[in-house]
Amino acid sequence: MRNRRVTLINRPTDIPLPEHFSLDEVEIPALADGEFLVRNLFLSVDPAQRGWALAESNYSNPVPLGAAMRALAIGEVIASLDPEVNVGERLYGWFDWQEFCVCGRDKVLRYIDTSVVPLSGHASLLGINGMAAYLGLVQSGRPQEGDAILVSTAAGSVGSFVGQIARNLGCHPYGLTSTAEKVKVCTERYGYECAIPYSDQGWTLKLANVAQKGFNVFFDNVGGRFLDTALRQMAVGGRIVQCGTASVSSWANEPSGPRNEREILVRRLNWAGFVVFDHIAQFDHAAKVLTRWFAQGKIVYDEDICYGLEDAPSAISGLYAGSNNGKKLISLQ
Amino acid sequence: MRNRRVTLINRPTDIPLPEHFSLDEVEIPALADGEFLVRNLFLSVDPAQRGWALAESNYSNPVPLGAAMRALAIGEVIASLDPEVNVGERLYGWFDWQEFCVCGRDKVLRYIDTSVVPLSGHASLLGINGMAAYLGLVQSGRPQEGDAILVSTAAGSVGSFVGQIARNLGCHPYGLTSTAEKVKVCTERYGYECAIPYSDQGWTLKLANVAQKGFNVFFDNVGGRFLDTALRQMAVGGRIVQCGTASVSSWANEPSGPRNEREILVRRLNWAGFVVFDHIAQFDHAAKVLTRWFAQGKIVYDEDICYGLEDAPSAISGLYAGSNNGKKLISLQ
């Protein structure tokens, strides 16, 4: 049996583009004891994939050249030599950008139960996006009822959940987003009190007006000048959750910015890096809360699904251009 | 009765110099109900006074021009209209750079008991320096036994305690300090495994060699390029306690430096501002621990005492020049 894969063939220095990938076809190896064969149903497209493709290791090693692009996916077990993993079971895990994946249980992040949340929702609401939004906000942001919560990329696959979770916890979420259409979806669908488009020339002034008593939490996915500005609008004792740095296109030449240590001291900020994979032990708890909210109609998710492996190579750069509306998935069904 | 005072007469833009102060003499006002009269015995000189003298408020309002310079001091109650504050009692509090202070209980930080620690030690080991060292390290730095702890201004009035406290907690303290003599006192007296002088051209390389597996805690009193370098030597999950920013001479023109958000994310750092006055409720607990260690010979303090109000105006700039050996105090006895 043959396996079609999207492999990384050139290492990007910034955002991975179609030219960095190639489609190939290889033979699927035989299963060893304890292994099983997954057929991928939905491939996940995530901003973090940029970091995985770069030469410098960040919190994980770079994807080797010639290997299938590292990715999360939802798949179905079609053969198994692991007595605890059954054929027909559906899983969410590290199955990469390919049609099939031979792997062991170490690649599984969650076992999927579709009784409440539909299958594809397990790659967004109950995938790393929902997990990062919930665990990053609750554990690192430590929101109190009534807190003002600022979120960057507020309409994105993580930000869309942070707004709703903040609202469900009795907080007041404010968003930074790219366009007027995304402002609309932030306020009408994702629970935000208001959202400010970066494109608006007066966004820094608007942010200062919105802040009033300062933000208690800043859930930041972008870094750069947005972070610089927001940091200076934090309330005393505020928490910054650094979940991503998407606005800074390259770290190779040590980009500079205003010094922040005085602000951190005087405002008594707490600024913490958050990598969702450090918190896998809490995934079940977070999924339980998010599933209950979903059943109660208190949280929604949006998807932007395209079809076929061929669409994968351009998908990461599409995310960074903000062309997706909702979680970007590639369906292989 | 007359009161001699050191007043702030010009507002500095950077480190306060003698020209920013003047000595004057005023009549001591009569005590109102609930007030008491303190005769100052030791005036404290602290790096934080720079910030209090500047035009911008930081965590406290600027000292008004023409007023006695804000300062902590040890004093003795010589008259009282507060039934709970007795004549003869010795106090540590906000009694400012002057001979006498009329005040209420809101100005008192600690009531002094000299049965174990001598009087002047209550302005260093049991004053804000010891409190900042203990509470900053323990509460914000959250050290685990065996942790590598980096401390800047390691021989200073706070750093000298952080080294010893870290050692008492089973950690490995490493210091950054100014001169070869201070390196010696760090390792021979303050518990440091080793100390690196900033003046050493190869200090960044030496720091990298010392770090090996990275620092778990950085207790930082200086900010600036020392912080930039140390931040890039932190272990995953490391904590940065921002207790001061003494190396950056002015914040007026928004100084810049390398962006840190990527390091914070990838290393999962936790970077928190620490202002000791937020933690007054814990002072008694910290003083109890430090007093016990002092009685057991497990912590020492050093003092650099000068005599008379006339020495105060040059004392803050002396601190920033590193000319003191131990806690700088002005004795009025």
Side-chain angles (χ1 to χ4, degrees):
Chain A
M1 209 159 95
R2 305 285 282 176
N3 180 26
R4 291 176 70 233
R5 321 182 300 169
V6 176
T7 58
L8 185 70
I9 54 164
N10 293 301
R11 210 169 278 293
T13 54
D14 185 6
I15 294 165
L17 301 169
E19 71 209 52
H20 299 108
F21 298 100
S22 175
L23 265 82
D24 75 1
E25 209 175 302
V26 291
E27 197 63 25
I28 298 175
L31 293 183
D33 258 6
E35 286 186 336
F36 45 89
L37 179 62
V38 171
R39 184 169 72 87
N40 277 332
L41 305 172
F42 290 102
L43 308 182
S44 185
V45 184
D46 291 285
Q49 287 177 294
R50 178 173 81 167
W52 306 338
L54 296 176
E56 317 88 60
S57 60
N58 43 35
Y59 50 83
S60 59
N61 291 325
V63 176
L65 290 181
M69 180 60 199
R70 186 180 301 151
L72 289 159
I74 287 172
E76 182 172 357
V77 178
I78 58 170
S80 178
L81 292 181
D82 180 332
E84 297 191 26
V85 174
N86 300 320
V87 170
E89 195 146 12
R90 282 165 312 171
L91 310 170
Y92 173 67
W94 296 104
F95 308 141
D96 301 338
W97 276 359
Q98 54 188 345
E99 291 178 329
F100 297 96
C101 181
V102 171
C103 61
R105 261 181 274 163
D106 59 317
K107 296 292 185 193
V108 179
L109 275 183
R110 294 194 61 249
Y111 294 81
I112 293 175
D113 167 1
T114 57
S115 58
V116 178
V117 176
L119 184 62
S120 61
H122 290 259
S124 57
L125 177 64
L126 302 185
I128 57 165
N129 312 105
M131 297 296 119
Y134 184 84
L135 296 171
L137 180 62
V138 171
Q139 295 192 357
S140 200
R142 303 190 300 278
Q144 304 294 308
E145 209 180 314
D147 272 0
I149 316 270
L150 181 68
V151 184
S152 59
T153 61
S157 54
V158 174
S160 60
F161 296 131
V162 180
Q164 298 178 78
I165 293 165
R167 175 70 68 171
N168 288 344
L169 295 173
C171 300
H172 304 289
Y174 301 92
L176 284 169
T177 188
S178 53
T179 61
E181 301 91 86
K182 292 196 173 171
V183 166
K184 206 166 130 77
V185 74
C186 278
T187 52
E188 295 182 357
R189 197 162 161 78
Y190 299 146
Y192 287 93
E193 304 252 335
C194 80
I196 301 169
Y198 309 120
S199 51
D200 188 327
Q201 285 246 319
W203 73 271
T204 57
L205 204 67
K206 284 197 177 158
L207 190 68
N209 283 336
V210 162
Q212 298 286 346
K213 289 180 290 181
F215 297 110
N216 306 100
V217 178
F218 177 34
F219 193 110
D220 185 28
N221 299 301
V222 301
R225 65 199 176 91
F226 307 107
L227 170 68
D228 301 334
T229 303
L231 195 138
R232 284 157 180 78
Q233 298 292 346
M234 295 298 288
V236 168
R239 286 82 65 198
I240 301 176
V241 184
Q242 198 70 49
C243 187
T245 58
S247 82
V248 182
S249 61
S250 170
W251 295 92
N253 295 314
E254 209 173 62
S256 63
R259 289 202 164 278
N260 290 319
E261 57 266 41
R262 189 75 192 160
E263 298 291 330
I264 291 170
L265 174 59
V266 172
R267 295 178 193 267
R268 288 83 137 185
L269 301 181
N270 193 293
W271 185 2
F274 182 85
V275 173
V276 71
F277 304 111
D278 294 341
H279 304 270
I280 292 174
Q282 270 79 53
F283 279 14
D284 278 346
H285 163 72
K288 216 170 276 180
V289 176
L290 295 174
T291 300
R292 190 181 71 232
W293 281 339
F294 182 78
Q296 294 168 338
K298 288 165 76 176
I299 199 160
V300 298
Y301 63 91
D302 289 317
E303 295 168 334
D304 186 332
I305 300 179
C306 62
Y307 293 85
L309 273 184
E310 292 71 13
D311 277 340
S314 63
I316 301 172
S317 52
L319 274 192
Y320 279 91
S323 64
N324 57 309
N325 290 300
K327 170 69 182 182
K328 186 81 188 170
L329 294 175
I330 297 166
S331 171
L332 299 186
Q333 294 179 94
Chain B
M1 210 159 96
R2 307 284 284 177
N3 181 25
R4 292 176 70 232
R5 320 182 302 169
V6 176
T7 59
L8 185 71
I9 55 164
N10 292 301
R11 211 170 275 296
T13 54
D14 186 4
I15 295 166
L17 300 170
E19 71 209 51
H20 299 107
F21 299 101
S22 176
L23 262 84
D24 74 1
E25 207 176 304
V26 291
E27 198 61 26
I28 298 174
L31 293 183
D33 258 6
E35 287 186 337
F36 45 88
L37 178 63
V38 171
R39 184 168 74 86
N40 277 333
L41 304 172
F42 289 103
L43 307 182
S44 184
V45 184
D46 290 286
Q49 289 178 292
R50 177 172 83 168
W52 305 339
L54 297 176
E56 317 89 59
S57 61
N58 42 37
Y59 50 84
S60 59
N61 291 325
V63 176
L65 289 182
M69 181 59 199
R70 184 181 301 149
L72 289 160
I74 287 173
E76 181 173 357
V77 179
I78 58 169
S80 178
L81 292 181
D82 181 332
E84 296 192 28
V85 175
N86 299 319
V87 170
E89 195 145 14
R90 283 168 308 174
L91 310 171
Y92 174 66
W94 295 104
F95 308 141
D96 301 338
W97 276 0
Q98 53 188 347
E99 290 178 331
F100 298 96
C101 182
V102 171
C103 62
R105 259 181 276 164
D106 59 318
K107 296 292 185 193
V108 179
L109 274 183
R110 293 195 60 249
Y111 294 81
I112 293 176
D113 168 359
T114 56
S115 59
V116 178
V117 175
L119 185 61
S120 61
H122 290 258
S124 57
L125 178 65
L126 301 185
I128 57 166
N129 312 104
M131 297 295 120
Y134 184 83
L135 296 170
L137 180 63
V138 171
Q139 293 191 359
S140 200
R142 303 191 300 278
Q144 305 293 309
E145 210 180 313
D147 272 0
I149 315 270
L150 181 67
V151 184
S152 58
T153 61
S157 54
V158 173
S160 60
F161 296 131
V162 179
Q164 297 178 79
I165 294 165
R167 174 71 65 171
N168 288 343
L169 295 173
C171 300
H172 304 289
Y174 301 93
L176 285 169
T177 189
S178 53
T179 62
E181 300 91 87
K182 293 198 172 172
V183 165
K184 207 165 129 76
V185 74
C186 279
T187 51
E188 295 183 357
R189 197 160 159 80
Y190 300 147
Y192 287 94
E193 305 253 334
C194 80
I196 301 168
Y198 308 121
S199 51
D200 189 326
Q201 286 246 320
W203 74 271
T204 56
L205 204 66
K206 283 198 178 156
L207 190 69
N209 282 337
V210 163
Q212 298 287 346
K213 288 180 292 182
F215 297 109
N216 306 100
V217 178
F218 178 33
F219 193 109
D220 185 28
N221 298 300
V222 300
R225 65 199 175 91
F226 307 107
L227 170 67
D228 302 334
T229 303
L231 196 140
R232 285 158 179 77
Q233 298 292 347
M234 296 297 289
V236 167
R239 287 81 66 197
I240 300 177
V241 184
Q242 198 70 49
C243 187
T245 59
S247 82
V248 182
S249 61
S250 169
W251 295 92
N253 296 313
E254 209 173 61
S256 64
R259 290 203 161 279
N260 290 319
E261 56 266 43
R262 189 74 191 161
E263 297 292 329
I264 292 170
L265 173 60
V266 171
R267 294 177 195 268
R268 288 83 138 181
L269 301 182
N270 193 293
W271 185 2
F274 182 84
V275 173
V276 71
F277 303 110
D278 294 344
H279 303 271
I280 292 175
Q282 270 79 56
F283 278 13
D284 278 346
H285 163 71
K288 214 170 277 179
V289 177
L290 295 174
T291 301
R292 191 180 70 231
W293 281 339
F294 182 78
Q296 295 169 338
K298 289 164 76 175
I299 199 160
V300 297
Y301 64 92
D302 289 316
E303 295 168 334
D304 186 334
I305 300 179
C306 60
Y307 293 84
L309 274 184
E310 291 72 13
D311 277 341
S314 64
I316 301 171
S317 52
L319 275 192
Y320 278 93
S323 64
N324 57 309
N325 290 301
K327 170 69 181 181
K328 185 82 188 168
L329 294 176
I330 297 166
S331 170
L332 299 187
Q333 296 181 93

